Amino acid sequence: MNLVLRSDKICKRVIVENTNTEILKSVDLEIFQDEFVAIMGASGSGKSTLLGILAGVDSEYEGNVNVLGKDIKDLDDDQLTQFRNKNIGIIFQAFNLLPDINIIENVKVPLYFSNNKLSGNEKAKELLRMVGLEGKEKLFPRQLSGGEQQRVAIARALVNSPSVVFADEPTGALDKVNGEMIIKLLKEGREKKNMTIVMVTHDYSLATQADRTICIEDGKIINKKE
Ligand SMILES: Nc1ncnc2c1ncn2[C@@H]1O[C@H](COP(=O)(O)OP(=O)(O)O)[C@@H](O)[C@H]1O
Ligand SMILES: [Mg+2]
């Protein structure tokens, strides 16, 4: 199997009220192509911090992250932004849709940083159809329910056909039915597009849907259940 993501002794320190606190403690991970991995841990255990580093959003850490064969520390800001837009899709817990543009434009946002602009409209439409929002392309985020907004966020994360998708508690703000739909969509994306999925969750029943669970406690990986 191809290695897609490797982290080597990631440490993250923050200073809070003059005290140096280590919120990630030497995290080593390996994630392979087409895997659906859940990173599970209690609130405050360091999941979002870890995901931000793996996804190349947070560059303030010690250790190494290799994504698709590239040490992302070697990239400057522009190169990193480009690399991320081309290869990585990110789904946040709080959707992070842009409120002032309609949803098809929201889905197309990552395309502004890539060369795929021409085919963008068709692609965005196809993705909105795939997530069950056909006919709603012109609506604005505020006109959609929470579950629908999260589905737009998933379409946006997939529009560039990323190799790796990172999702931070993507169902956290949703009811059970919508939550299950989001997981189903992620799995479909993986089957159709050979994506690797790394999903953070504190919900055991969600983690059981993944191929593999990595548990984090107090900033440390505590076990790797196969
Ligand atoms: N920038 C920061 N400054 C200080 N503390 C932080 C910062 N980011 C995260 N933390 C702390 O690190 C711990 C892990 O945070 P986080 O990764 O958000 O946890 P999780 O996503 O598992 O709930 C928490 O105790 C949080 O308060
Ligand atoms: Mg979190």
Side-chain angles (χ1 to χ4, degrees), residues 14 16 23 41-50 168-169:
V14 292
V16 182
I23 55 181
S43 175
S45 56
K47 303 182 299 297
S48 294
T49 306
L50 177 60
D168 192 354
E169 311 227 20

Side-chain angles (χ1 to χ4, degrees), residues 107-108 110-111 116 120 123-124 127 154-162:
V107 171
K108 284 159 64 182
L111 298 173
N116 303 339
K123 196 135 191 231
L127 279 162
I154 290 185
R156 179 183 57 186
L158 304 185
V159 74
N160 265 342
S161 303

Side-chain angles (χ1 to χ4, degrees), residues 6-15 20-29 45-46 49-54 58-65 73 216 218-221:
R6 192 184 71 235
S7 82
D8 192 20
K9 299 190 179 56
I10 301 179
C11 293
K12 169 86 180 178
R13 289 176 225 275
V14 292
I15 294 172
N20 198 326
T21 316
E22 208 175 19
I23 55 181
L24 291 178
K25 299 163 183 159
S26 197
V27 173
D28 292 335
L29 289 176
S45 56
T49 306
L50 177 60
L51 205 77
I53 291 172
L54 297 177
D58 178 4
S59 312
E60 307 270 298
Y61 59 91
E62 292 155 47
N64 243 322
V65 177
K73 267 212 166 138
I216 180 167
D218 195 21
K220 271 201 301 261
I221 303 291

